[in-house]
Amino acid sequence: MKRKIALLLSVCMLLLTVAACGTGNQAGGATTAAATTAAAAATTAAAAAAATEAATTAAAGAAGTTAAATTAAAAATTTAAAAAADPAPALDAKPMRYYMPGSSKIMGDEMNAVINEKLAQDGVPVIFEPIYAPWDQWVNKINIMLSSGDEFELLHIMEDYIPTSVYAGRGGLTPLDDLIPQYAPELFDLFEQVLWDCATVGGTIYSIPAFWRDNSGDGEGKINLRKDKFDEFGLPYPQSHAEAIEILPVFQQMWKDQDGIERYIFEHSATRCPVAFHRLYDTWPFYASQDGIFKVTQDAQATLYFESDEFRMDTEFMHEMYKNNLIHPDVLNLPNDIRSDILNQGDFVMCIMTGPGNPAGIIQQTGIETVEIEQYVFEPEKPYLCNLPLLNSNGIPSTANNPELALLFLNWLYSSKENQDLLLHGVKGVTWNEVGPDMYERIKNENNQNLYAFDAWMIEHVKFHRFDVIDMSTDIQKADTLGNIHADNMVYSPMVGFNFDSEPVSTEMANLMAEYTASLLPIKLGLLPYEGNFERAMDKMRAAGCDRVIEEYQKQLDAYIASKG
């Protein structure tokens, strides 16, 4: 199988070379006349027949689809012409190492070779090298690399996890204000100003938006439930804290009675507040930071979130969940990959602001065709708060000796749908098939695994988005991906575009985060009751310097608001 796939890909790469040679101004450098002459001289019947037969066999074995065989056959008929045409001149290409959380992809090496062939043909002197770090090692790996001066050219940034401002505050990112106009000026027109504001710290651009979905009306998150199981058990969806405490234990037990599996509720991350429940508070809308540290009201007043009444109500609710055995007993130490496996299997009681919103992945994992996921918000008549229009971005590490490589690559990627398709989906007819202009179907191996699938959320631009044919999202959910469907009932947080520069209080911030993890996180997750534990934890937080941090935070926020006029 692998040999056949490799043969097919080599044919596809040759086809890319022919395409480049067919135009005089491309990297191949050969003129149309030269290519035509070479083709006429080289396309003997035997060569064409042999190449076509080999490619067709490879396509059928790799993908099992007529489209793959047809694509390979078409490529094979031009192989002899490519061999006779002038070779493409060597480019002074350098590696563009892109560090991301996760794991390498099936056929990743083969697809990288095709991507690099296309880059060379397009005259982009970049060698694309994706490098992955396991989720549970990601933070430490990147911190060590930046502090030790390891050279790499592109870093994925999850703005809802460790944002651009944190990396920039540590001196870990390269300023881009002078580099973008020089190497990739087209990028400025690709993203709205509000997204560039989110990638800016202290007036300096430090990352490039990865606008893979419009998040302007979805910043506060949703509740995710297994609709098929709730319907099966005849239970209503919880619409409040009290109903969740009443209904979820019943749901958990009824499901456990069927198969003996204990299931739990999950939040987006251990540190993040249960933001989806914040719509239930009278004080909504307000901003709660992704790290659980800051709260900002709509009049731009900042406080420490863990000193708020909302934090107390959050923890009291979570502690009730814990007492009802709805919180995973090892939630503090549960590895991200294990948590992801649980969610991908659909084995959850409730997901707060996270979860596999599309049931297709669960169906693929489990083979249970009846899976349905319900996504909803509490009190939908209340306004939707936009506080994080940018979910993901990509930054250039300060350790990069050739920062222009990342910009050249991103400029190339976002220049055409063809290029984005190649990175995200691979070779059409080999690893995916086009289903109309805006949909696609992945080709799978004998184990029903995708032959290739790059993580679109890390780098995609939504203007070139394709929906998977197995995507079971509703039309409304798909529209919500491409644009803001709540524009008439949406308010902006004063936090939009503000990035806290922690450098002036870097020591206090480091101490605060360490103490938060040790003393407050067990309370936040519900493992310890608020009463009898919070004041002791706050004494430690004050000793760590939390008052100095919030003072600096408010100072910078005031300056940001003033700068906007």
Side-chain angles (χ1 to χ4, degrees), residues 159-222:
E159 298 291 342
D160 58 348
Y161 185 43
I162 300 178
T164 292
S165 59
V166 172
Y167 287 113
R170 298 171 183 167
L173 297 177
T174 297
L176 302 178
D177 294 77
D178 296 331
L179 291 171
I180 293 177
Q182 183 177 358
Y183 294 103
E186 295 87 350
L187 291 178
F188 283 125
D189 295 330
L190 284 173
F191 309 102
E192 294 183 8
Q193 186 58 46
V194 67
L195 300 179
W196 284 115
D197 290 344
C198 294
T200 299
V201 182
T204 299
I205 298 173
Y206 279 101
S207 64
I208 301 95
F211 189 44
W212 63 276
R213 67 155 296 159
D214 189 309
N215 194 55
S216 56
D218 193 29
E220 74 284 357
K222 296 183 174 73

Side-chain angles (χ1 to χ4, degrees), residues 370-429:
T370 57
V371 172
E372 293 182 82
I373 301 295
E374 181 74 22
Q375 287 187 334
Y376 68 102
V377 298
F378 296 128
E379 302 188 10
E381 71 280 359
K382 287 185 176 179
Y384 291 79
L385 179 67
C386 176
N387 57 56
L388 189 67
L390 182 62
L391 287 171
N392 300 83
S393 64
N394 289 289
I396 301 176
S398 54
T399 58
N401 288 331
N402 299 106
E404 73 281 359
L405 296 176
L407 294 173
L408 292 172
F409 175 78
L410 292 173
N411 199 57
W412 169 85
L413 176 67
Y414 298 139
S415 67
S416 72
K417 192 167 187 171
E418 175 190 6
N419 291 345
Q420 181 166 291
D421 281 341
L422 184 60
L423 174 67
L424 299 186
H425 313 310
V427 176
K428 184 161 62 174

